[in-house]
Amino acid sequence: MFSNQELSEIKKLLQPDKEIVIVTHYNPDGDAIGSSLGLKHALKNLGIDATVVVPNDFPKFLKWMPEAKQVMVSEFKRKKVAEIFHNADVIFCLDFNTLSRIGFIGEWIARSSAAKILIDHHQMPEEFDYVYSDTSIPATCQMVYHFLEALGLEECISEDSARCLYTGIMTDTGGFRFRSTSATTHRIVANLIEKGADPAQITSDTWDTNTVSRLHLLSLVLSRIEVVKDGTVAILWLKREEMERFGFEKGATEGFVNYGLSVLGVKMSAFFMEDIQDDFIKISFRSKDDLDVNLFSRSYFSGGGHINAAGGRSELSIEDTLERFRNIIEKEDF
Ligand code: 5GP
Ligand code: MN
């Protein structure tokens, strides 16, 4: 948590006459949008109308969240977003810790004279003016809750705020299952339910959103799942042409990588996908226990993330990337 000195400085910055911007990472997920909107709704109770900015668009299944439609998508509104950063007094940076994770808007933030406040749970944060970084917490949404509590603003968590914060905790813990899900996480979740978050509604609106074409796409990916290294590493992959054939939509492959991890004996799952827009392979890694995919992805695939969930990229073709991965994995000692 921030020091008491930092908290009192931040509290002074949180005034209705200040321009407050909340920004989160590229390809925003439930925790990114949930923490950003959760904080935005809480700040409303201080009379502050904060602006939420994302680098690129986010999946439809997160758009039910209150005021999700007002989120500024930088790739569609470059000029407006440049202006917002130029005028900002305070920039909250949520659910990422390096400016390279937010694409071209990273430069605008670097140039801005606003106070930059980081709240994030990924490994190895860069420098910001105020840093609350804790890799033991499963979701940035939980950290936003701790932050508001530390400021004495728990009462500002309205029903809208609670619904958003609940969503991010639910998605980043894989439905309250992953390792860093703690008793504290559950206590906070209980408080969020008391404040109006409805577990059935949130689960249904976020996760029961499959289309038949997405299930067909999943069945294709699952039909060729490959397990290597004595049954401990699962490999899944998908080509751009296949995504297009099934009428791919943003976020359609979210969660596919987890199926690899559900295979008995598998400790690491890797999902390789040709990017739908640009010429590179997007990779998702998931693991169990102490197998550190953050380190693995940093070492071999220009990526990063958490110990048990990380992402990376490759500039090779999908075939060559898979070949390289198989070679690397056979030599790794885990
Ligand atoms: P996903 O596989 O869901 O895209 O990402 C898993 C985790 O790794 C997320 O926490 C995400 O922020 C992080 N991550 C994904 N891609 C990258 C990347 O290219 N670089 C870094 N540093 N982190 C990434
Ligand atoms: Mn997160």
Side-chain angles (χ1 to χ4, degrees):
M1 181 46 66
F2 300 112
S3 68
N4 285 338
Q5 170 69 25
E6 288 174 319
L7 284 169
S8 73
E9 288 174 22
I10 292 171
K11 206 159 185 177
K12 279 198 202 110
L13 290 169
L14 299 181
Q15 304 297 333
D17 61 338
K18 296 269 196 269
E19 291 295 329
I20 299 187
V21 182
I22 302 169
V23 61
T24 190
H25 60 78
Y26 189 74
N27 286 344
D29 57 11
D31 192 33
I33 299 296
S35 57
S36 301
L37 287 173
L39 179 60
K40 177 191 164 81
H41 288 299
L43 292 178
K44 261 192 207 161
N45 286 312
L46 298 176
I48 293 169
D49 186 17
T51 308
V52 176
V53 173
V54 294
N56 62 340
D57 206 1
F58 52 100
K60 242 199 236 156
F61 65 79
L62 297 174
K63 296 217 167 151
W64 64 265
M65 271 191 257
E67 292 192 30
K69 303 252 161 58
Q70 275 85 61
V71 169
M72 299 288 299
V73 180
S74 306
E75 66 177 356
F76 302 147
K77 301 204 166 162
R78 279 187 179 241
K79 240 175 120 178
K80 180 79 189 148
V81 171
E83 199 182 303
I84 288 170
F85 282 122
H86 183 260
N87 296 332
D89 297 305
V90 178
I91 303 176
F92 279 97
C93 298
L94 302 187
D95 203 36
F96 69 95
N97 63 17
T98 133
L99 293 183
S100 65
R101 282 286 289 145
I102 51 174
F104 62 92
I105 60 176
E107 277 170 44
W108 297 342
I109 295 183
R111 256 186 266 134
S112 161
S113 57
K116 290 151 206 162
I117 304 174
L118 179 83
I119 303 179
D120 174 70
H121 64 143
H122 295 85
Q123 313 268 327
M124 306 179 199
E126 275 175 6
E127 271 185 38
F128 289 77
D129 297 319
Y130 299 91
V131 173
Y132 172 27
S133 163
D134 189 337
T135 58
S136 73
I137 299 182
T140 299
C141 281
Q142 179 176 330
M143 300 177 78
V144 166
Y145 189 103
H146 290 310
F147 168 61
L148 292 167
E149 207 177 21
L151 286 173
L153 299 176
E154 203 192 334
E155 290 307 313
C156 287
I157 303 175
S158 57
E159 180 177 330
D160 280 350
S161 174
R163 295 170 72 205
C164 297
L165 295 179
Y166 182 103
T167 306
I169 299 177
M170 180 187 87
T171 55
D172 256 29
T173 58
F176 316 106
R177 291 185 306 148
F178 297 155
R179 206 160 54 141
S180 45
T181 309
S182 65
T184 303
T185 309
H186 280 279
R187 274 185 209 106
I188 287 173
V189 164
N191 293 343
L192 294 173
I193 293 171
E194 280 177 351
K195 288 175 185 292
D198 175 353
Q201 172 265 313
I202 293 172
T203 309
S204 171
D205 286 352
T206 308
W207 279 341
D208 298 338
T209 52
N210 274 319
T211 57
V212 170
S213 73
R214 181 180 188 267
L215 292 181
H216 287 164
L217 189 68
L218 173 63
S219 79
L220 172 71
V221 171
L222 293 183
S223 72
R224 58 190 177 205
I225 189 167
E226 177 188 342
V227 177
V228 296
K229 206 172 164 74
D230 294 328
T232 57
V233 177
I235 301 174
L236 306 99
W237 53 274
L238 188 61
K239 290 192 163 189
R240 180 185 300 134
E241 171 271 312
E242 293 163 336
M243 290 186 251
E244 285 166 351
R245 180 156 30 104
F246 285 95
F248 176 85
E249 276 178 13
K250 197 156 199 65
T253 58
E254 179 113 358
F256 282 13
V257 64
N258 296 320
Y259 287 90
L261 215 53
S262 74
V263 177
L264 184 65
V266 165
K267 290 198 181 104
M268 172 178 178
S269 174
F271 176 52
F272 300 81
M273 187 176 91
E274 286 178 346
D275 189 76
I276 195 87
Q277 285 170 343
D278 300 313
D279 214 12
F280 74 97
I281 309 293
K282 159 87 185 104
I283 315 170
S284 285
F285 297 108
R286 297 293 183 272
S287 67
K288 286 190 177 163
D289 306 324
D290 295 331
L291 202 162
D292 189 344
V293 284
N294 164 55
L295 207 63
F296 180 85
S297 187
R298 268 173 206 273
S299 308
Y300 299 110
F301 292 100
S302 322
H306 311 275
I307 290 177
N308 294 134
R313 56 187 289 144
S314 161
E315 315 295 332
L316 302 172
S317 68
I318 190 130
E319 290 82 8
D320 291 348
T321 303
L322 289 169
E323 185 62 22
R324 177 163 178 256
F325 177 74
R326 288 191 196 95
N327 288 333
I328 292 170
I329 213 73
E330 287 304 334
K331 289 189 205 112
E332 277 291 295
D333 187 22
F334 50 67

